[in-house]
Every structure is written in C-alpha cells, then in structure tokens.
Amino acid sequence: MSALLLWAMLAASLAGPARPAAGANDNRAAAGVIHDGVLTLRLRALEAGWFPEADSGPSQVIQAFAEEGHRPTIPGPLIRVPTGTMIRVVIRNALPGPTLTIYGLHTRPGRADDTVQVRAGATREISFAAGAPGTYFYWGSTSGRDIEQRDGADSQLDGAFIVDSAGTAGPPADRIFVMGAWHENPDTTGPKPWIPRDMMVINGKSWPYTERLNYQIGDTVHWRWLNPTSDAHPMHLHGFYFTVTGRGAWAADTAYSPDGERLAVTETMLPGGTMTLRWVPTEPGNWLFHCHFGLHVSHFLSLNKIPDDTIPDSPAEVDHTAGGMRGLVLGIHVRGAAPRPAAGAKAPRPIRLFMQAAPLKERPRFYTYAFVVQQGDSTPAADSVPQRSSPLVLRRGEAVRITMVNRLPYPSAVHWHGIEIQNSYVDGVPGWSGSSGHVAPLVMPGDSFTVSFTPPRAGTFIYHSHSNEYYQIAAGLAAPLIVLDSGAVYDSATDRTFLINQGIDASGRLNGKSAPDTLRLTAGLQYRFRFINIAPDWRVRVTLADSSGPVQWRSVAKDGADLPPRQATTRAAELKMGPGETADFSFTPEPGRPMALEIATQLKGWGMKVPIVVDAR
C-alpha cells in the first residue's frame, strides 16, 4: 500500500463520516405519498454539506431534513395537502448529540408549544389532521433556542407546510419561498481581525444564485412567503404594487377578506411570520424582489470571511450580479410589450439632480452625501452638501426627465422606490435593470444618467441609492419623493414629511438631523403626516403622544397607496416600520396639549424625541 493511499485513508478517518450535500428545494414538489386521504411522510434529520452559493462554491456543515430515500434539502421537504387529509409522519433523528425538538407538526391552527421530541438515534411516529387551509411551516431545534434566536447549525431545519382548500384541482398556481439565515460568531481566541460569518438564502440559495422567475405581462402571480429565520425582513418589490392577501405564523394563518386586503411595495415579515400576496406585472424587463435591510443584501453575506472594508464606499461592492449584492434577492423577468399612450403628449418636465459629496474631517476616507436638485440656472457648488437631501415633488400623470449627475468619488445609481415606472431600464439597479443586452450601467464619478417616467398615482415615495446602499443611504443618498394629484399643492404649513434614516455612525437621523428641531403645530388645523423609514439597519417605532399616552390619528395611506375605506380608520398614534416602508396619517391637534413625536429602534439602538408645541389658531 502506497504512502499516499495510507495518508488519504488517515485523512478520511479523521474527517469523520461523509456527509451528503444538501440540495436547494424550490418547493414545487410535495413530499410523501397520499393514499385514501392519508399522507405518509418519512422524515430524517441529519448533518449535511450546504452550498448556498454556487454548487461548487464554499460549503458549511449544517443540520437538515430529508425525505427518506432522498437527499437532504434546504429548506426541508414540502408538506402540501388538501384540508381533511390525515398526516402520518415517521421521524428519524440521525443527528448526533442533543434531542431534536420539532415545532409545527400538528393540526392547524395549533399551539406554539405543541412539539415533538426525538432523541438522537431514535425514530418516532405521529399522526394528525391537516386542519384549516393556510400557509404554515414546521421547524426544528437541537440548540434549545426559540425561532428568534436559532441562527447556528440548526437554523436550516425547517420546511413549508401548506394546507389547500377542499376541492383544489390541478397543479398549484402559486410559488412558495422559504427564507433562511445562518450566523457564526467570530473566533475571538484567534488572531485579529475577528470576522463573523453570515448567510441568508431564499429556498436554499443566496443571490445571484437564487432562482430567476419568468412571467408574462398580465399574469396573475400568487406567492407564499415564509420566514423561519431569527430576523425580520422588509420585503420590497420593484416596479409594481402587490396585494397582501394574508398574514400569519407557522402555527396559525389568516386569509384576508377582499375589503381587508391592501396594496404595498414593502411589507415587513417578523421572525416566524408568513405572508401571501398576489401581483400583476404590467411592464416588461428585469425587476427585483428583495429584503430592504442593508446587511441582508450586502456583500458581507458569504461563507468566506469578509473583513470590514478598508475603503468605506468601495467600488468593489457595486456589481449587483457578481458579488456586490447577495442574500435575500429574487430576480424577475417579465416578457411582453406594454401599451403606450399616443404621441403628442406634453413634453416631460426637466429636472437636474446632483449627487454631492464632502469628506468628513473627523473620519478620514468617509464622506457625507446628499441629493441636490438644481434650482433655476444655478449649479450647486461641487462641495455643497446640505444636511438633508432635496425632496422631489412631482405630479401624477406629468412626465419627468431627470438627469442625475454623479459628483461622488464612487459609482452610484438611483432607485425610484414605489414608483410604477414604465421602463425597467431606469429602475436603478446597475447591471440588472433593463433587459437582456440592454441593462442599466453604473453612474460613474463625473458622469450622468437620464431617466424618464410618468408617476401614475399620488402618494408618498422615496428615491435612494441602489449602489452599495448599505453605506450610501446612511451617508445621505435618500430623500422623499412626493407625488401630488392634479391641482393639489404641497403646503409645508400642513403637509409634514418625516424621513427617518441613520448616519454612517449608525445613530438616528430625522430629516437629516440627529437632534431634530421642535415641531410647531396650530390647533384645529388638519395635517398630513408622511413617515418614511429608509434607515438601512433598523425597524423603528413611531409614537405621537401627550402626557397620558398616544393620541389619535387617522390612517390614510401605506407605501403611497390610499388605504381602502375599511382600513382608513382613527386609531392610536403608534406605527411600526421597516426600511422601505412609508405611511401617511391625518392629524388635527387640540389646543393647549403639549406632545412629543418619539422615534426609536424596535431593537436596542437609538431613539429621538421631538417636542411639539401646539399654538392657538
């Protein structure tokens, strides 16, 4: 026997038993066998190699579910049955070490504490009725952590559980997407730099390796989204609105009645949550659906150790299809030709928009940024960077032609968040927006890029950087985009816009200020409050309160879309928002009633309190 063969055998014995590679599960095929109204499914929990990027890329040993006789998958096998089905599951725990606890293998709706325990090496059989139709999932833990803390080796132990209505015939007309998140703390016993590792996936893969979805103009698209991760995810659709048709969690679900549905472009999903939605593509080209947390789509998501950038706004981070953007992103291709209005329409309104930069004296190699709209013929000075980027006020049905001039030291791009634009080429995702053979470029330093679109609805929107947005948005490249109805006037006396962001030091900003000015209101006047959260790192809680607690305001709109009458109600003045969400409220202050507007992160971070003085009319 050769020395080389002996060495190979020794290395194999030291490495332990071979682990199968987990496949990515697109949730198109249900597991198990149904016979006489009973689904029989044999599940196995085991260790597997996970390849969340390329199949030949870096891998990580994780715990996974598999259907007996099949390879393990991330996420685990799909359970999908019509209501009325009995489900028989045989679970074999092939994981070494602690007992496996499985949640969600029970009749729906059910209790969150209804669990199944299977010791290492043991097999257990359970049976239960499927229960009510809905979107659910099952999940496992060997760490003893709940779903908001499970982020290690057992973080991918989950799978979709869909109960269809009785009489459902033919193949399902929906798609199912399960998110995954994994985290590893840095090894502080080793040499610095101490670098954590993070990975986030959709149906087992991270962008740009996630599935590409193909639709035709006019298709009705139905999606089910499941979040068994330890993080919240504000999910944003480019170019179109979607209708939220239901929300729930892994143990229970609520399908909305038609008057309970609402439009959104960004919807925050909490850990353990589920969401069903539908939408109709009306414009051709390439579009995205992605999480709006900066880290969750950043280049830091990798099984490789990615150190902090030596250059904060590094140009290496802006390639959206080859590493500059990763994680929770889906690419969408829409085919077909959209109808266009007849020629002869009014010429578009020209706007010149400068992306300005100034170095921070106290932080070498860091910059503060701002959007500045040119006023008249006067070009802003190259180093003119106001504390707050210029709001854009447009009009519904009026075409605009916006020329963006990049005066930054690095490339950039601008996304018109929430606007139903008519050309994907100007959507603002460099290397992706547009169509095959005609994709939008980066706007390089010293260069410009012109976009044209016609806002089809009035509302509160955002325009912001979509190039290294984790840094550039916090540095200041985000601003309100207000669209008014024909004949309406933006009256700053009664129309108040609150843009919530963070600085590059991760502290809070309101309209560009870390210490906002006192807000003065007039008693008896009706105000429209427009709240925009674009802070890349934070979900925030907004409260308008007096000494006795939250006051009352009336909900008006979500993400720029007017709420249906049933939802445009008067309620306590409290609001929770993820980045990328906007919300409008109507409020009439009472005389002699001092108040404060409080904005704070939902997790430990920062907070701001804006005193409000109500003057007599």
Side-chain angles (χ1 to χ4, degrees), residues 478-513:
L481 197 168
I482 310 300
V483 181
L484 302 176
D485 267 319
S486 178
V489 175
Y490 185 86
D491 184 355
S492 59
T494 56
D495 207 331
R496 302 296 177 91
T497 301
F498 305 94
L499 183 107
I500 303 163
N501 200 352
Q502 67 192 58
I504 55 176
D505 60 357
S507 64
R509 300 286 190 275
L510 181 63
N511 292 336
K513 297 182 177 182

PDB file of all heavy atoms in Angstrom, residues 478-513:
ATOM      1  N   ALA A 478     -30.731  59.492   0.225  1.00  0.00           N
ATOM      2  CA  ALA A 478     -32.131  59.071   0.321  1.00  0.00           C
ATOM      3  C   ALA A 478     -32.956  60.312   0.603  1.00  0.00           C
ATOM      4  O   ALA A 478     -32.548  61.174   1.391  1.00  0.00           O
ATOM      5  CB  ALA A 478     -32.323  58.042   1.425  1.00  0.00           C
ATOM      6  N   ALA A 479     -34.130  60.400  -0.026  1.00  0.00           N
ATOM      7  CA  ALA A 479     -34.953  61.594   0.140  1.00  0.00           C
ATOM      8  C   ALA A 479     -36.408  61.278  -0.185  1.00  0.00           C
ATOM      9  O   ALA A 479     -36.699  60.308  -0.897  1.00  0.00           O
ATOM     10  CB  ALA A 479     -34.443  62.724  -0.767  1.00  0.00           C
ATOM     11  N   PRO A 480     -37.323  62.111   0.332  1.00  0.00           N
ATOM     12  CA  PRO A 480     -38.740  61.926  -0.001  1.00  0.00           C
ATOM     13  C   PRO A 480     -39.011  62.205  -1.475  1.00  0.00           C
ATOM     14  O   PRO A 480     -38.405  63.101  -2.081  1.00  0.00           O
ATOM     15  CB  PRO A 480     -39.451  62.960   0.880  1.00  0.00           C
ATOM     16  CG  PRO A 480     -38.469  63.332   1.946  1.00  0.00           C
ATOM     17  CD  PRO A 480     -37.122  63.191   1.308  1.00  0.00           C
ATOM     18  N   LEU A 481     -39.919  61.432  -2.027  1.00  0.00           N
ATOM     19  CA  LEU A 481     -40.433  61.666  -3.370  1.00  0.00           C
ATOM     20  C   LEU A 481     -41.957  61.758  -3.220  1.00  0.00           C
ATOM     21  O   LEU A 481     -42.625  60.753  -2.997  1.00  0.00           O
ATOM     22  CB  LEU A 481     -40.022  60.540  -4.311  1.00  0.00           C
ATOM     23  CG  LEU A 481     -40.131  60.792  -5.820  1.00  0.00           C
ATOM     24  CD1 LEU A 481     -39.401  59.683  -6.589  1.00  0.00           C
ATOM     25  CD2 LEU A 481     -41.556  60.887  -6.303  1.00  0.00           C
ATOM     26  N   ILE A 482     -42.498  62.959  -3.310  1.00  0.00           N
ATOM     27  CA  ILE A 482     -43.915  63.206  -3.091  1.00  0.00           C
ATOM     28  C   ILE A 482     -44.584  63.430  -4.438  1.00  0.00           C
ATOM     29  O   ILE A 482     -44.136  64.281  -5.228  1.00  0.00           O
ATOM     30  CB  ILE A 482     -44.149  64.429  -2.187  1.00  0.00           C
ATOM     31  CG1 ILE A 482     -43.306  64.332  -0.916  1.00  0.00           C
ATOM     32  CG2 ILE A 482     -45.637  64.586  -1.877  1.00  0.00           C
ATOM     33  CD1 ILE A 482     -43.588  63.136  -0.061  1.00  0.00           C
ATOM     34  N   VAL A 483     -45.635  62.671  -4.713  1.00  0.00           N
ATOM     35  CA  VAL A 483     -46.409  62.839  -5.943  1.00  0.00           C
ATOM     36  C   VAL A 483     -47.776  63.390  -5.563  1.00  0.00           C
ATOM     37  O   VAL A 483     -48.484  62.804  -4.734  1.00  0.00           O
ATOM     38  CB  VAL A 483     -46.553  61.525  -6.716  1.00  0.00           C
ATOM     39  CG1 VAL A 483     -47.343  61.751  -8.011  1.00  0.00           C
ATOM     40  CG2 VAL A 483     -45.184  60.938  -7.040  1.00  0.00           C
ATOM     41  N   LEU A 484     -48.148  64.526  -6.169  1.00  0.00           N
ATOM     42  CA  LEU A 484     -49.409  65.192  -5.869  1.00  0.00           C
ATOM     43  C   LEU A 484     -50.428  64.935  -6.962  1.00  0.00           C
ATOM     44  O   LEU A 484     -50.073  64.739  -8.140  1.00  0.00           O
ATOM     45  CB  LEU A 484     -49.200  66.695  -5.729  1.00  0.00           C
ATOM     46  CG  LEU A 484     -48.193  67.150  -4.665  1.00  0.00           C
ATOM     47  CD1 LEU A 484     -48.031  68.672  -4.716  1.00  0.00           C
ATOM     48  CD2 LEU A 484     -48.630  66.707  -3.277  1.00  0.00           C
ATOM     49  N   ASP A 485     -51.688  64.980  -6.586  1.00  0.00           N
ATOM     50  CA  ASP A 485     -52.761  64.902  -7.575  1.00  0.00           C
ATOM     51  C   ASP A 485     -52.807  66.182  -8.392  1.00  0.00           C
ATOM     52  O   ASP A 485     -52.292  67.242  -7.983  1.00  0.00           O
ATOM     53  CB  ASP A 485     -54.111  64.688  -6.878  1.00  0.00           C
ATOM     54  CG  ASP A 485     -54.467  63.224  -6.764  1.00  0.00           C
ATOM     55  OD1 ASP A 485     -54.232  62.477  -7.727  1.00  0.00           O
ATOM     56  OD2 ASP A 485     -54.967  62.822  -5.701  1.00  0.00           O
ATOM     57  N   SER A 486     -53.448  66.090  -9.545  1.00  0.00           N
ATOM     58  CA  SER A 486     -53.602  67.260 -10.402  1.00  0.00           C
ATOM     59  C   SER A 486     -54.316  68.368  -9.639  1.00  0.00           C
ATOM     60  O   SER A 486     -55.361  68.155  -9.024  1.00  0.00           O
ATOM     61  CB  SER A 486     -54.404  66.883 -11.650  1.00  0.00           C
ATOM     62  OG  SER A 486     -54.614  68.013 -12.469  1.00  0.00           O
ATOM     63  N   GLY A 487     -53.725  69.559  -9.633  1.00  0.00           N
ATOM     64  CA  GLY A 487     -54.324  70.699  -8.955  1.00  0.00           C
ATOM     65  C   GLY A 487     -53.956  70.820  -7.492  1.00  0.00           C
ATOM     66  O   GLY A 487     -54.204  71.866  -6.878  1.00  0.00           O
ATOM     67  N   ALA A 488     -53.384  69.772  -6.885  1.00  0.00           N
ATOM     68  CA  ALA A 488     -53.019  69.826  -5.466  1.00  0.00           C
ATOM     69  C   ALA A 488     -51.719  70.616  -5.296  1.00  0.00           C
ATOM     70  O   ALA A 488     -50.904  70.734  -6.208  1.00  0.00           O
ATOM     71  CB  ALA A 488     -52.860  68.427  -4.895  1.00  0.00           C
ATOM     72  N   VAL A 489     -51.555  71.161  -4.106  1.00  0.00           N
ATOM     73  CA  VAL A 489     -50.365  71.943  -3.774  1.00  0.00           C
ATOM     74  C   VAL A 489     -49.724  71.342  -2.520  1.00  0.00           C
ATOM     75  O   VAL A 489     -50.424  70.994  -1.570  1.00  0.00           O
ATOM     76  CB  VAL A 489     -50.720  73.418  -3.525  1.00  0.00           C
ATOM     77  CG1 VAL A 489     -49.488  74.199  -3.070  1.00  0.00           C
ATOM     78  CG2 VAL A 489     -51.310  74.050  -4.775  1.00  0.00           C
ATOM     79  N   TYR A 490     -48.402  71.210  -2.541  1.00  0.00           N
ATOM     80  CA  TYR A 490     -47.692  70.765  -1.335  1.00  0.00           C
ATOM     81  C   TYR A 490     -47.516  71.976  -0.436  1.00  0.00           C
ATOM     82  O   TYR A 490     -46.678  72.846  -0.690  1.00  0.00           O
ATOM     83  CB  TYR A 490     -46.349  70.150  -1.686  1.00  0.00           C
ATOM     84  CG  TYR A 490     -45.626  69.562  -0.490  1.00  0.00           C
ATOM     85  CD1 TYR A 490     -45.889  68.260  -0.082  1.00  0.00           C
ATOM     86  CD2 TYR A 490     -44.701  70.307   0.243  1.00  0.00           C
ATOM     87  CE1 TYR A 490     -45.236  67.708   1.016  1.00  0.00           C
ATOM     88  CE2 TYR A 490     -44.048  69.770   1.333  1.00  0.00           C
ATOM     89  CZ  TYR A 490     -44.317  68.474   1.715  1.00  0.00           C
ATOM     90  OH  TYR A 490     -43.674  67.936   2.802  1.00  0.00           O
ATOM     91  N   ASP A 491     -48.326  72.037   0.619  1.00  0.00           N
ATOM     92  CA  ASP A 491     -48.308  73.156   1.548  1.00  0.00           C
ATOM     93  C   ASP A 491     -47.516  72.733   2.782  1.00  0.00           C
ATOM     94  O   ASP A 491     -48.001  71.951   3.599  1.00  0.00           O
ATOM     95  CB  ASP A 491     -49.740  73.543   1.930  1.00  0.00           C
ATOM     96  CG  ASP A 491     -49.798  74.770   2.828  1.00  0.00           C
ATOM     97  OD1 ASP A 491     -48.719  75.253   3.237  1.00  0.00           O
ATOM     98  OD2 ASP A 491     -50.912  75.233   3.125  1.00  0.00           O
ATOM     99  N   SER A 492     -46.297  73.261   2.922  1.00  0.00           N
ATOM    100  CA  SER A 492     -45.445  72.843   4.030  1.00  0.00           C
ATOM    101  C   SER A 492     -46.002  73.248   5.384  1.00  0.00           C
ATOM    102  O   SER A 492     -45.539  72.768   6.427  1.00  0.00           O
ATOM    103  CB  SER A 492     -44.041  73.422   3.861  1.00  0.00           C
ATOM    104  OG  SER A 492     -44.091  74.841   3.814  1.00  0.00           O
ATOM    105  N   ALA A 493     -47.018  74.123   5.400  1.00  0.00           N
ATOM    106  CA  ALA A 493     -47.626  74.511   6.659  1.00  0.00           C
ATOM    107  C   ALA A 493     -48.438  73.368   7.257  1.00  0.00           C
ATOM    108  O   ALA A 493     -48.504  73.217   8.490  1.00  0.00           O
ATOM    109  CB  ALA A 493     -48.510  75.741   6.467  1.00  0.00           C
ATOM    110  N   THR A 494     -49.060  72.557   6.412  1.00  0.00           N
ATOM    111  CA  THR A 494     -49.914  71.473   6.915  1.00  0.00           C
ATOM    112  C   THR A 494     -49.488  70.097   6.417  1.00  0.00           C
ATOM    113  O   THR A 494     -50.011  69.089   6.877  1.00  0.00           O
ATOM    114  CB  THR A 494     -51.381  71.710   6.492  1.00  0.00           C
ATOM    115  OG1 THR A 494     -51.450  71.852   5.068  1.00  0.00           O
ATOM    116  CG2 THR A 494     -51.940  72.956   7.157  1.00  0.00           C
ATOM    117  N   ASP A 495     -48.549  70.048   5.484  1.00  0.00           N
ATOM    118  CA  ASP A 495     -48.063  68.774   4.935  1.00  0.00           C
ATOM    119  C   ASP A 495     -46.659  68.557   5.484  1.00  0.00           C
ATOM    120  O   ASP A 495     -45.716  69.236   5.077  1.00  0.00           O
ATOM    121  CB  ASP A 495     -48.054  68.831   3.419  1.00  0.00           C
ATOM    122  CG  ASP A 495     -48.208  67.463   2.771  1.00  0.00           C
ATOM    123  OD1 ASP A 495     -47.780  66.476   3.386  1.00  0.00           O
ATOM    124  OD2 ASP A 495     -48.763  67.397   1.667  1.00  0.00           O
ATOM    125  N   ARG A 496     -46.509  67.637   6.432  1.00  0.00           N
ATOM    126  CA  ARG A 496     -45.233  67.446   7.098  1.00  0.00           C
ATOM    127  C   ARG A 496     -44.669  66.063   6.754  1.00  0.00           C
ATOM    128  O   ARG A 496     -45.340  65.040   6.957  1.00  0.00           O
ATOM    129  CB  ARG A 496     -45.390  67.572   8.614  1.00  0.00           C
ATOM    130  CG  ARG A 496     -45.971  68.923   9.060  1.00  0.00           C
ATOM    131  CD  ARG A 496     -45.042  70.085   8.713  1.00  0.00           C
ATOM    132  NE  ARG A 496     -45.618  71.365   9.080  1.00  0.00           N
ATOM    133  CZ  ARG A 496     -45.440  71.957  10.260  1.00  0.00           C
ATOM    134  NH1 ARG A 496     -44.727  71.352  11.215  1.00  0.00           N
ATOM    135  NH2 ARG A 496     -45.980  73.137  10.508  1.00  0.00           N
ATOM    136  N   THR A 497     -43.442  66.060   6.254  1.00  0.00           N
ATOM    137  CA  THR A 497     -42.775  64.827   5.854  1.00  0.00           C
ATOM    138  C   THR A 497     -41.624  64.530   6.817  1.00  0.00           C
ATOM    139  O   THR A 497     -40.811  65.407   7.116  1.00  0.00           O
ATOM    140  CB  THR A 497     -42.246  64.951   4.413  1.00  0.00           C
ATOM    141  OG1 THR A 497     -43.343  65.222   3.531  1.00  0.00           O
ATOM    142  CG2 THR A 497     -41.563  63.658   3.978  1.00  0.00           C
ATOM    143  N   PHE A 498     -41.565  63.283   7.279  1.00  0.00           N
ATOM    144  CA  PHE A 498     -40.549  62.858   8.242  1.00  0.00           C
ATOM    145  C   PHE A 498     -39.744  61.707   7.642  1.00  0.00           C
ATOM    146  O   PHE A 498     -40.244  60.580   7.560  1.00  0.00           O
ATOM    147  CB  PHE A 498     -41.195  62.411   9.550  1.00  0.00           C
ATOM    148  CG  PHE A 498     -42.096  63.442  10.174  1.00  0.00           C
ATOM    149  CD1 PHE A 498     -43.459  63.441   9.923  1.00  0.00           C
ATOM    150  CD2 PHE A 498     -41.575  64.415  11.018  1.00  0.00           C
ATOM    151  CE1 PHE A 498     -44.294  64.387  10.496  1.00  0.00           C
ATOM    152  CE2 PHE A 498     -42.402  65.367  11.594  1.00  0.00           C
ATOM    153  CZ  PHE A 498     -43.764  65.356  11.330  1.00  0.00           C
ATOM    154  N   LEU A 499     -38.522  61.993   7.212  1.00  0.00           N
ATOM    155  CA  LEU A 499     -37.651  60.971   6.652  1.00  0.00           C
ATOM    156  C   LEU A 499     -36.745  60.449   7.754  1.00  0.00           C
ATOM    157  O   LEU A 499     -35.942  61.188   8.323  1.00  0.00           O
ATOM    158  CB  LEU A 499     -36.816  61.511   5.495  1.00  0.00           C
ATOM    159  CG  LEU A 499     -35.954  60.420   4.846  1.00  0.00           C
ATOM    160  CD1 LEU A 499     -36.519  60.044   3.491  1.00  0.00           C
ATOM    161  CD2 LEU A 499     -34.508  60.847   4.708  1.00  0.00           C
ATOM    162  N   ILE A 500     -36.877  59.168   8.066  1.00  0.00           N
ATOM    163  CA  ILE A 500     -36.103  58.530   9.138  1.00  0.00           C
ATOM    164  C   ILE A 500     -34.943  57.762   8.496  1.00  0.00           C
ATOM    165  O   ILE A 500     -35.152  56.887   7.656  1.00  0.00           O
ATOM    166  CB  ILE A 500     -36.989  57.570   9.943  1.00  0.00           C
ATOM    167  CG1 ILE A 500     -38.205  58.327  10.523  1.00  0.00           C
ATOM    168  CG2 ILE A 500     -36.193  56.892  11.049  1.00  0.00           C
ATOM    169  CD1 ILE A 500     -39.329  57.417  10.964  1.00  0.00           C
ATOM    170  N   ASN A 501     -33.739  58.108   8.897  1.00  0.00           N
ATOM    171  CA  ASN A 501     -32.544  57.455   8.368  1.00  0.00           C
ATOM    172  C   ASN A 501     -31.565  57.269   9.524  1.00  0.00           C
ATOM    173  O   ASN A 501     -31.911  57.493  10.684  1.00  0.00           O
ATOM    174  CB  ASN A 501     -31.937  58.294   7.242  1.00  0.00           C
ATOM    175  CG  ASN A 501     -31.013  57.522   6.328  1.00  0.00           C
ATOM    176  OD1 ASN A 501     -30.676  56.364   6.583  1.00  0.00           O
ATOM    177  ND2 ASN A 501     -30.592  58.138   5.239  1.00  0.00           N
ATOM    178  N   GLN A 502     -30.378  56.868   9.211  1.00  0.00           N
ATOM    179  CA  GLN A 502     -29.307  56.756  10.188  1.00  0.00           C
ATOM    180  C   GLN A 502     -28.057  57.348   9.584  1.00  0.00           C
ATOM    181  O   GLN A 502     -27.927  57.428   8.351  1.00  0.00           O
ATOM    182  CB  GLN A 502     -29.055  55.290  10.562  1.00  0.00           C
ATOM    183  CG  GLN A 502     -28.496  54.466   9.399  1.00  0.00           C
ATOM    184  CD  GLN A 502     -28.511  52.991   9.655  1.00  0.00           C
ATOM    185  OE1 GLN A 502     -29.553  52.423   9.898  1.00  0.00           O
ATOM    186  NE2 GLN A 502     -27.343  52.360   9.586  1.00  0.00           N
ATOM    187  N   GLY A 503     -27.136  57.805  10.420  1.00  0.00           N
ATOM    188  CA  GLY A 503     -25.860  58.261   9.908  1.00  0.00           C
ATOM    189  C   GLY A 503     -24.912  57.093   9.719  1.00  0.00           C
ATOM    190  O   GLY A 503     -25.202  55.953  10.098  1.00  0.00           O
ATOM    191  N   ILE A 504     -23.748  57.360   9.158  1.00  0.00           N
ATOM    192  CA  ILE A 504     -22.766  56.283   8.979  1.00  0.00           C
ATOM    193  C   ILE A 504     -22.205  55.833  10.315  1.00  0.00           C
ATOM    194  O   ILE A 504     -21.546  54.798  10.394  1.00  0.00           O
ATOM    195  CB  ILE A 504     -21.633  56.703   8.029  1.00  0.00           C
ATOM    196  CG1 ILE A 504     -20.969  58.000   8.503  1.00  0.00           C
ATOM    197  CG2 ILE A 504     -22.159  56.871   6.615  1.00  0.00           C
ATOM    198  CD1 ILE A 504     -19.782  58.413   7.671  1.00  0.00           C
ATOM    199  N   ASP A 505     -22.508  56.608  11.391  1.00  0.00           N
ATOM    200  CA  ASP A 505     -22.155  56.167  12.743  1.00  0.00           C
ATOM    201  C   ASP A 505     -23.276  55.333  13.366  1.00  0.00           C
ATOM    202  O   ASP A 505     -23.216  54.993  14.547  1.00  0.00           O
ATOM    203  CB  ASP A 505     -21.849  57.371  13.630  1.00  0.00           C
ATOM    204  CG  ASP A 505     -23.037  58.336  13.753  1.00  0.00           C
ATOM    205  OD1 ASP A 505     -24.076  58.094  13.103  1.00  0.00           O
ATOM    206  OD2 ASP A 505     -22.914  59.321  14.501  1.00  0.00           O
ATOM    207  N   ALA A 506     -24.318  55.006  12.570  1.00  0.00           N
ATOM    208  CA  ALA A 506     -25.449  54.162  12.977  1.00  0.00           C
ATOM    209  C   ALA A 506     -26.379  54.847  13.979  1.00  0.00           C
ATOM    210  O   ALA A 506     -27.255  54.200  14.544  1.00  0.00           O
ATOM    211  CB  ALA A 506     -24.987  52.817  13.536  1.00  0.00           C
ATOM    212  N   SER A 507     -26.217  56.158  14.210  1.00  0.00           N
ATOM    213  CA  SER A 507     -27.160  56.878  15.068  1.00  0.00           C
ATOM    214  C   SER A 507     -28.318  57.401  14.227  1.00  0.00           C
ATOM    215  O   SER A 507     -28.212  57.535  13.002  1.00  0.00           O
ATOM    216  CB  SER A 507     -26.458  58.040  15.778  1.00  0.00           C
ATOM    217  OG  SER A 507     -26.000  58.998  14.833  1.00  0.00           O
ATOM    218  N   GLY A 508     -29.434  57.714  14.881  1.00  0.00           N
ATOM    219  CA  GLY A 508     -30.633  58.090  14.166  1.00  0.00           C
ATOM    220  C   GLY A 508     -30.577  59.484  13.555  1.00  0.00           C
ATOM    221  O   GLY A 508     -29.870  60.381  14.043  1.00  0.00           O
ATOM    222  N   ARG A 509     -31.334  59.666  12.473  1.00  0.00           N
ATOM    223  CA  ARG A 509     -31.488  60.953  11.814  1.00  0.00           C
ATOM    224  C   ARG A 509     -32.961  61.140  11.457  1.00  0.00           C
ATOM    225  O   ARG A 509     -33.605  60.222  10.959  1.00  0.00           O
ATOM    226  CB  ARG A 509     -30.657  61.040  10.531  1.00  0.00           C
ATOM    227  CG  ARG A 509     -29.161  60.869  10.703  1.00  0.00           C
ATOM    228  CD  ARG A 509     -28.523  62.110  11.331  1.00  0.00           C
ATOM    229  NE  ARG A 509     -27.070  62.043  11.280  1.00  0.00           N
ATOM    230  CZ  ARG A 509     -26.308  61.425  12.170  1.00  0.00           C
ATOM    231  NH1 ARG A 509     -26.870  60.785  13.197  1.00  0.00           N
ATOM    232  NH2 ARG A 509     -24.995  61.413  12.048  1.00  0.00           N
ATOM    233  N   LEU A 510     -33.478  62.336  11.709  1.00  0.00           N
ATOM    234  CA  LEU A 510     -34.813  62.700  11.261  1.00  0.00           C
ATOM    235  C   LEU A 510     -34.681  63.928  10.378  1.00  0.00           C
ATOM    236  O   LEU A 510     -34.228  64.982  10.837  1.00  0.00           O
ATOM    237  CB  LEU A 510     -35.739  62.989  12.448  1.00  0.00           C
ATOM    238  CG  LEU A 510     -37.180  63.362  12.085  1.00  0.00           C
ATOM    239  CD1 LEU A 510     -37.874  62.207  11.364  1.00  0.00           C
ATOM    240  CD2 LEU A 510     -37.975  63.766  13.308  1.00  0.00           C
ATOM    241  N   ASN A 511     -35.045  63.777   9.114  1.00  0.00           N
ATOM    242  CA  ASN A 511     -34.855  64.851   8.132  1.00  0.00           C
ATOM    243  C   ASN A 511     -33.420  65.380   8.169  1.00  0.00           C
ATOM    244  O   ASN A 511     -33.172  66.587   8.107  1.00  0.00           O
ATOM    245  CB  ASN A 511     -35.864  65.975   8.352  1.00  0.00           C
ATOM    246  CG  ASN A 511     -37.285  65.537   8.040  1.00  0.00           C
ATOM    247  OD1 ASN A 511     -37.501  64.597   7.276  1.00  0.00           O
ATOM    248  ND2 ASN A 511     -38.261  66.206   8.632  1.00  0.00           N
ATOM    249  N   GLY A 512     -32.472  64.449   8.321  1.00  0.00           N
ATOM    250  CA  GLY A 512     -31.056  64.784   8.269  1.00  0.00           C
ATOM    251  C   GLY A 512     -30.433  65.200   9.576  1.00  0.00           C
ATOM    252  O   GLY A 512     -29.216  65.383   9.642  1.00  0.00           O
ATOM    253  N   LYS A 513     -31.233  65.351  10.643  1.00  0.00           N
ATOM    254  CA  LYS A 513     -30.716  65.863  11.901  1.00  0.00           C
ATOM    255  C   LYS A 513     -30.733  64.797  12.985  1.00  0.00           C
ATOM    256  O   LYS A 513     -31.723  64.074  13.141  1.00  0.00           O
ATOM    257  CB  LYS A 513     -31.522  67.081  12.361  1.00  0.00           C
ATOM    258  CG  LYS A 513     -31.441  68.285  11.426  1.00  0.00           C
ATOM    259  CD  LYS A 513     -32.220  69.456  11.979  1.00  0.00           C
ATOM    260  CE  LYS A 513     -32.071  70.686  11.086  1.00  0.00           C
ATOM    261  NZ  LYS A 513     -32.802  71.857  11.638  1.00  0.00           N
TER     262      LYS A 513
END
